[in-house]
Amino acid sequence: MTGTWELVGGDVTIVDDLVLRPARPWTATVHALLAHLCAEGLDCVPEPVGIRDGVEALTWVPGDAGPEAWRHHVDLDGLRSAAALLRRIHDATEGFVPPEGADWAFPPVPGATVVTHGDPGPWNFVWREGVAVALIDWDYASPAPAMDDVAYALETFAPFRPDEEAMESHGFVSPPDRAERARAFSEAYGLGGTAGLVDRVAGRQEVTVDRIAALAERGLEPWAAWVRAGYLDELRGRVRWTRGHRQLLE
Ligand SMILES: Nc1ncnc2c1ncn2[C@@H]1O[C@H](COP(=O)(O)OP(=O)(O)O)[C@@H](O)[C@H]1O
Ligand SMILES: [Mg+2]
């Protein structure tokens, strides 16, 4: 595609087989990571096409994502496919050498050997025939312990949310068996068990509060608007819910 890359309404825009998204300060670093993953032979991440006029272009991956994703994650085999895909991607990030002057949305955790995706909820997987086939939306990537991503994913895959919310918004027809789902996710990811996971999930939820606050403090949108609208209080409420319902998992 030639000419100017234009976002319709400032948002993610799909033109032919390209996805156009607003470029961020860290987009060049994320493109270097995605190029590394593609060179490693992964076909489960979008290919970086370029950055121009404040817009990034990536290849479009066919399948269900966003709101269409929830119905696929309910099934245990769907959940397992997402966990296995996350593991495959984490393993492939290990040899990545960030470019000089690399910028990430969040400071790298010292000693981290993996680059985490940072937002691996069901909505950022692309699903085909009930199977998670790709992981998109890499804005929150940063070097950090892989378990941070596992904990983040479990928050919504288990989910650590009230039954009503799980049934109204996450596609469940009855209250989810969180212990069974956490076990299945952990096994498919390759963990030895689920011990300590509740605290990991709550700890990762706290990290989300700090991260959104930090992006807002930098004056970046949409995060500043989220904070103005009181989103941090909602996030803190989620941490309390997780800590108050540990018996659902333990
Ligand atoms: N590479 C891609 N392939 C297919 N669909 C995509 C891709 N990137 C984005 N999308 C679609 O656009 C939606 C929003 O894009 P996303 O990158 O997740 O941004 P955000 O969640 O920050 O709005 C996704 O839920 C998905 O439906
Ligand atoms: Mg997204």
Side-chain angles (χ1 to χ4, degrees), residues 1 19 47 64 73 80 91 107 113 167 216 218 239 243:
M1 189 183 150
V19 175
E47 289 171 38
D64 292 337
H73 96 298
R80 287 190 189 97
D91 287 351
T113 56
M167 292 190 284
R218 286 168 69 179
V239 183
R243 293 204 193 283

Side-chain angles (χ1 to χ4, degrees), residues 12 21 66 117 119 123-124 136-138:
V12 175
R21 306 170 80 252
H117 174 271
D119 195 15
W123 59 89
N124 278 332
I136 59 170
D137 195 357
W138 282 82

Side-chain angles (χ1 to χ4, degrees), residues 11-14 17-22 24 45-47 56-69 117 119 123-126 134-140 222-223 226:
D11 288 327
V12 175
T13 303
I14 296 170
D17 55 355
L18 284 190
V19 175
L20 307 179
R21 306 170 80 252
R24 310 290 185 185
V45 296
E47 289 171 38
E56 68 160 327
L58 303 149
T59 54
W60 178 73
V61 185
D64 292 337
E68 301 302 319
H117 174 271
D119 195 15
W123 59 89
N124 278 332
F125 287 89
V126 179
L135 187 55
I136 59 170
D137 195 357
W138 282 82
D139 269 341
Y140 288 173
W223 302 280
W226 294 358

Side-chain angles (χ1 to χ4, degrees), residues 66-84:
E68 301 302 319
W70 291 102
R71 60 199 164 93
H72 301 298
H73 96 298
V74 170
D75 182 72
L76 276 181
D77 284 335
L79 167 146
R80 287 190 189 97
S81 72

